[in-house]
Amino acid sequence: MRHPRRRPLHSGRLIEGKPARTISDISLDELFRPGMVLDVRRWVKPGAAIPIEGLQAAIEATGREIQDGDAVLIRTGQERYTMADAEYYNYPGMTGDGTRFLTSLGASILGTDALAWDRPFPVMRRAFEETGDPAQIWDGHFAIRDKEAFIVQQLTNLAALPPTGFTVGFFPLKLPRTSAAPARVVAFLGD
């Protein structure tokens, strides 16, 4: 009898040393969180890693620290491009170190307005070819193996949100045994 090949979950089979959860394992209360927008536009360059110094400065600009369970949304400025623009695909992205920095402060949901969380694939490939280090590939995603967080990409309308003082809900399709799903993301502003 053939055994079907098991695919690893989005960032690996183990998260924090425990079996990784699937979309259908995550409760909605985990996906309805206080939100923060980190505006990093001043510190980013197309195709480059978002520097931790820029993340720190953007946190300070919000007027509060990241709290346990916060949804931290990264505004890179990619909202000015559409899929028809070449610049859309050469976005600033996160590294493993940047991801671990945010999760170590308590972020449980990580979002970006960019096409993807990690640096663009050609940038990661070049880093791998230059260093021979396979950890250069998808290092932002793999960093959540150390501390669980949910990654959400291609967010829109971050410019319409205040830096803090809102709640954000992430409503993914509840697909069984999957590692990712399309989601409707809605911010709820106070009066």
Side-chain angles (χ1 to χ4, degrees), residues 157-184:
N157 298 319
L158 294 183
L161 295 175
T164 63
F166 64 94
T167 303
V168 62
F170 301 84
F171 306 108
L173 294 176
K174 193 172 182 177
L175 302 173
R177 299 182 311 276
T178 60
S179 66
R184 190 68 176 249

Side-chain angles (χ1 to χ4, degrees), residues 107-182:
S108 64
I109 299 176
L110 305 169
T112 182
D113 61 0
L115 175 63
W117 182 252
D118 296 88
R119 297 162 292 161
F121 189 76
V123 172
M124 292 186 291
R125 186 184 67 223
R126 235 181 347 268
F128 166 69
E129 289 169 351
E130 290 169 5
T131 65
D133 181 5
Q136 293 292 323
I137 307 293
W138 308 123
D139 56 325
H141 266 77
F142 289 141
I144 65 169
R145 290 176 180 171
D146 301 333
K147 184 161 189 219
E148 184 182 63
F150 309 123
I151 293 174
V152 184
Q153 305 161 153
Q154 302 174 33
L155 295 170
T156 59
N157 298 319
L158 294 183
L161 295 175
T164 63
F166 64 94
T167 303
V168 62
F170 301 84
F171 306 108
L173 294 176
K174 193 172 182 177
L175 302 173
R177 299 182 311 276
T178 60
S179 66

Side-chain angles (χ1 to χ4, degrees), residues 54-130:
L55 295 169
Q56 289 171 319
I59 292 167
E60 289 173 18
T62 69
R64 81 163 178 88
E65 295 295 318
I66 293 174
Q67 313 277 317
D68 280 341
D70 276 350
V72 176
L73 314 177
I74 309 293
R75 183 175 180 213
T76 67
Q78 287 298 107
E79 72 267 8
R80 66 188 184 270
Y81 303 117
T82 69
M83 292 176 75
D85 299 313
E87 296 89 351
Y88 181 78
Y89 302 95
N90 193 29
Y91 53 88
M94 292 294 290
T95 62
D97 289 340
T99 302
R100 280 186 285 279
F101 170 73
L102 293 175
T103 59
S104 74
L105 296 175
S108 64
I109 299 176
L110 305 169
T112 182
D113 61 0
L115 175 63
W117 182 252
D118 296 88
R119 297 162 292 161
F121 189 76
V123 172
M124 292 186 291
R125 186 184 67 223
R126 235 181 347 268
F128 166 69
E129 289 169 351
E130 290 169 5

Side-chain angles (χ1 to χ4, degrees), residues 18 24 34 71 177:
K18 297 176 279 199
S24 58
R177 299 182 311 276

